[in-house]
Amino acid sequence: MTEFVPDQNALARLGEQVRARLADNPAVYRVPAEPVELFAVGDFLSADECTRLCAMIDAVARPSALHELDYASGFRTSYSGDLEPHDPFVAAISQRIDALLGVKAAIGEPVQGQRYQPGQQFKPHNDWFYVTEGYWPQEEARGGQRSWTAMAYLNAVEAGGATAFTALGIQIEPKPGVLLLWNNALPDGHPNEATLHAGLPVESGAKYVITKWYRTRAWR
């Protein structure tokens, strides 16, 4: 019996579409990270844009939450918050990410800002949803499975705070203005277990990032 994978065809189609789009862009670097499709774009955000986004994150940051775990669990100890999607500055950056990927704006979640202070971290996790968990029916109704992740670093961290793809054995140091992109699915549309990643603890200073996740259908 063939395994049923929710949104598999849509994930495969989006993967193929975005993969081709990024391959044609000379500003996009493919990070050697098989079997994960991981890309980087340098200087995607200017220094002024990064500074402005950091201030906006400070204004909305609250203890980060997860579906199945509360903040006290220590699994995700950053502060985070959605940036106002109708703010012209935020909307323009969001549209630039959409255009880079070549996807419809409707499938994108709001841009979320995250701030990590010394000792704060996000332990290894996947961005895609586990369809056997109780939260899945809600997420399925909100737009389905997550397809691509876009994450931009906003500041230079004094020490620590790397993004570790733990299944791949690689770490990416925060560099202001750099945008990371990765496909959360395999080419056949199955969720990619190798996208497991962590925000390592900040040792000194602070770390600011923005993240935008994409679904398979329109976000609600």
Side-chain angles (χ1 to χ4, degrees):
M1 183 176 182
T2 303
E3 177 190 7
F4 173 69
V5 178
D7 297 332
Q8 181 177 356
N9 291 338
L11 289 166
R13 186 171 60 251
L14 272 167
E16 182 177 7
Q17 172 189 333
V18 176
R19 182 184 310 117
R21 174 89 170 188
L22 297 179
D24 284 341
N25 189 334
V28 177
Y29 169 69
R30 175 76 183 261
V31 180
E34 297 297 339
V36 175
E37 294 178 314
L38 176 63
F39 304 85
V41 182
D43 299 320
F44 183 80
L45 296 171
S46 70
D48 287 345
E49 287 173 331
C50 288
T51 298
R52 186 170 176 182
L53 286 166
C54 287
M56 296 179 84
I57 292 170
D58 283 335
V60 300
R62 302 291 184 272
S64 300
L66 285 173
H67 287 104
E68 66 277 22
L69 296 171
D70 61 19
Y71 186 82
S73 70
F75 192 88
R76 186 186 186 193
T77 54
S78 59
Y79 274 49
S80 59
D82 288 345
L83 304 184
E84 173 51 57
H86 300 296
D87 181 285
F89 173 69
V90 175
I93 290 173
S94 185
Q95 289 163 9
R96 274 162 51 194
I97 302 173
D98 297 343
L100 178 69
L101 294 171
V103 298
K104 295 179 180 179
I107 67 170
E109 297 182 29
V111 174
Q112 185 183 101
Q114 293 109 23
R115 183 187 68 207
Y116 295 78
Q117 293 179 323
Q120 293 183 340
Q121 65 178 316
F122 196 167
K123 293 182 179 180
H125 62 283
N126 285 301
D127 287 350
W128 48 266
F129 300 116
Y130 291 81
V131 300
T132 55
E133 294 295 323
Y135 61 70
W136 170 243
Q138 176 187 1
E139 295 301 342
E140 185 177 29
R142 294 174 81 187
Q145 186 61 276
R146 280 181 173 157
S147 53
W148 286 80
T149 295
M151 185 181 74
Y153 299 111
L154 305 180
N155 71 309
V157 182
E158 292 179 18
T163 303
F165 284 84
T166 53
L168 305 176
I170 65 172
Q171 295 185 13
I172 298 175
E173 301 297 328
K175 292 185 178 180
V178 169
L179 179 72
L180 290 184
L181 305 159
W182 65 87
N183 185 0
N184 289 294
L186 293 163
D188 68 359
H190 281 77
N192 190 346
E193 296 278 357
T195 58
L196 193 72
H197 60 285
L200 298 183
V202 169
E203 298 169 19
S204 180
K207 171 186 169 184
Y208 288 81
V209 299
I210 56 168
T211 305
K212 183 171 184 180
W213 296 281
Y214 291 87
R215 301 296 186 104
T216 54
R217 300 187 297 280
W219 162 260
R220 305 185 191 201

